[in-house]
Amino acid sequence: MNLKRHSKFGGLAAGGLALLLALGCAEVPPAPPKPAPVWPPPPAEPAVIYERDISAPGDIGVQPSMFSRMADWITGIGKVKGKLVNPFGLALDDAGNLLVTDTGANAVCFLDLSHKKWLRWVAVGQTRFQSPVAAARHGDTFFVADSALGKVIAFDAKGNLQFEITNGLIRPSGLALLGDRLYVADAGQHQIFIFDVAGKFISKFGRRGDEPGEFNFPTHIAVDAAGLVYVTDSLNCRIEIFDADGKFLRAFGSTGDGPGHFSRPKGVAVDPAGHVYVVDAVFDNVQVFDGQGRLLMDWGESGPAPGEFWLPIAIVISRDNEIYVADSFNHRIQVFRYIRKP
């Protein structure tokens, strides 16, 4: 009896297993992809859409060579080395390629997006980067501001030193190019320096204070298509706007914890339509203003998901409205696109 009961039970189990296997082999339609996050959220008409993250060469389509794959398998370090640690400074060259300074790795990366190449430097000549915070490119020359070294280093794509800019600089923190002029924000001196692209000093403007045209630790700098210069006056919690020669025009922003105010403004950028974008490292968000400083929209909060941030530092916007944000402590660059007037 026991043997028969066992046989009967085994038959039922086998039949159930066969049914489960049959069900498992049946084709199950894949779940539809989740729609990309947009801001403002529905039912409002969207203005900004999330596109992707960039944290390693593979994210822009770089394919490692067989040799490098073998080295990764043997040493286990290759893939880690290529990843961003704390992306800090961002810039776009005339071809729309992206420069990234990484203060976590003390490295500078050049992302050739059209040719799917990722170049990386930790030193130029005998000089190792100690705290590269900003970058720019003019023609074949790369400029990197290193706040710890107190200078701007100019070099070519092969890492050959061209020259260094040290003229009066203490703590360079931001770079921007306007034609043949290089603007350098110096947080230590509370001033903006202007050089030509050969490193020759032209002029400077600003001093410490909170009056119009004065600064309290300026950190980031950007220019727009009209030739205006935008400076993040960090501890005064405002954005100041100047003409190309440093004449003060206007400012917007103030200390506060609500929309339209700042707590720790960092990167600033202007899109082709003239909207001004400001990232705030305390609010973990991006706020968008019109040219007069009126708030249009904002997005972001603390977290690791798309559209969330952990210490966003820098922002740049391409001619075709792609928005790159250095999401530093999430070890990535988030890419968005502006798709309509906010």
Side-chain angles (χ1 to χ4, degrees):
M1 287 292 296
N2 288 340
L3 182 58
K4 289 181 180 179
R5 278 212 263 327
H6 177 75
S7 177
K8 185 178 180 181
F9 182 79
L12 290 173
L17 180 59
L19 178 60
L20 289 174
L21 288 173
L23 291 173
C25 292
E27 291 189 6
V28 178
K34 292 182 179 180
V38 296
W39 299 270
E45 182 182 355
V48 172
I49 185 169
Y50 167 83
E51 288 194 335
R52 66 190 188 280
D53 285 357
I54 299 174
S55 61
D59 296 329
I60 65 168
V62 176
Q63 299 294 325
S65 66
M66 179 62 72
F67 178 81
S68 64
R69 288 197 297 267
M70 182 67 71
D72 292 346
W73 179 73
I74 295 172
T75 66
I77 63 173
K79 294 180 180 178
V80 175
K81 184 178 180 181
K83 291 183 177 180
L84 296 173
V85 181
N86 294 126
F88 196 93
L90 298 177
L92 290 165
D93 68 7
D94 289 338
N97 298 310
L98 187 65
L99 287 88
V100 185
T101 67
D102 187 336
T103 53
N106 289 330
V108 179
C109 300
F110 176 62
L111 283 58
D112 186 335
L113 301 175
S114 58
H115 296 96
K116 299 180 180 179
K117 295 181 180 179
W118 184 302
L119 304 180
R120 184 177 183 269
W121 303 274
V122 296
V124 173
Q126 300 300 311
T127 303
R128 294 189 67 84
F129 294 122
Q130 294 184 19
S131 184
V133 294
R137 186 189 188 196
H138 183 273
D140 295 328
T141 301
F142 294 88
F143 298 92
V144 173
D146 193 302
S147 62
L149 295 174
K151 57 180 140 181
V152 177
I153 302 169
F155 59 97
D156 63 21
K158 295 182 179 179
N160 298 316
L161 178 68
Q162 295 184 348
F163 56 87
E164 295 181 345
I165 301 174
T166 59
N167 190 335
L169 299 178
I170 293 178
R171 188 182 166 193
S173 56
L175 296 178
L177 284 164
L178 181 58
D180 291 334
R181 288 184 169 191
L182 177 69
Y183 292 77
V184 183
D186 191 310
Q189 298 202 77
H190 314 281
Q191 291 181 313
I192 307 300
F193 287 71
I194 307 175
F195 301 90
D196 67 19
V197 290
K200 181 181 178 181
F201 174 77
I202 297 175
S203 63
K204 61 183 178 179
F205 60 92
R207 62 180 182 181
R208 189 167 196 179
D210 57 9
E211 295 298 318
E214 298 178 341
F215 303 108
N216 193 9
F217 290 96
T219 56
H220 292 73
I221 189 166
V223 299
D224 68 9
L228 300 184
V229 179
Y230 298 74
V231 180
T232 302
D233 187 13
S234 184
L235 294 190
N236 282 329
C237 291
R238 64 186 179 183
I239 302 297
E240 295 196 80
I241 306 170
F242 302 84
D243 70 11
D245 294 320
K247 178 184 176 182
F248 174 80
L249 300 177
R250 58 188 179 274
F252 66 88
S254 60
T255 304
D257 59 4
H261 298 276
F262 302 121
S263 181
R264 192 68 74 241
K266 293 293 184 182
V268 58
V270 185
D271 71 16
H275 307 125
V276 184
Y277 297 61
V278 184
V279 297
D280 195 298
V282 172
F283 294 159
D284 287 325
N285 72 356
V286 180
Q287 298 188 70
V288 186
F289 302 84
D290 67 13
Q292 300 302 312
R294 293 183 288 261
L295 180 68
L296 300 175
M297 65 169 289
D298 65 89
W299 82 90
E301 59 184 292
S302 300
E308 298 177 347
F309 304 100
W310 188 8
L311 198 67
I313 295 293
I315 183 170
V316 290
I317 304 172
S318 71
R319 293 190 185 98
D320 62 353
N321 287 315
E322 274 200 315
I323 304 163
Y324 300 86
V325 180
D327 188 10
S328 184
F329 277 21
N330 278 325
H331 320 296
R332 65 185 177 180
I333 297 161
Q334 292 199 64
V335 186
F336 307 87
R337 186 178 293 275
Y338 161 61
I339 54 177
R340 74 158 180 84
K341 182 178 179 180

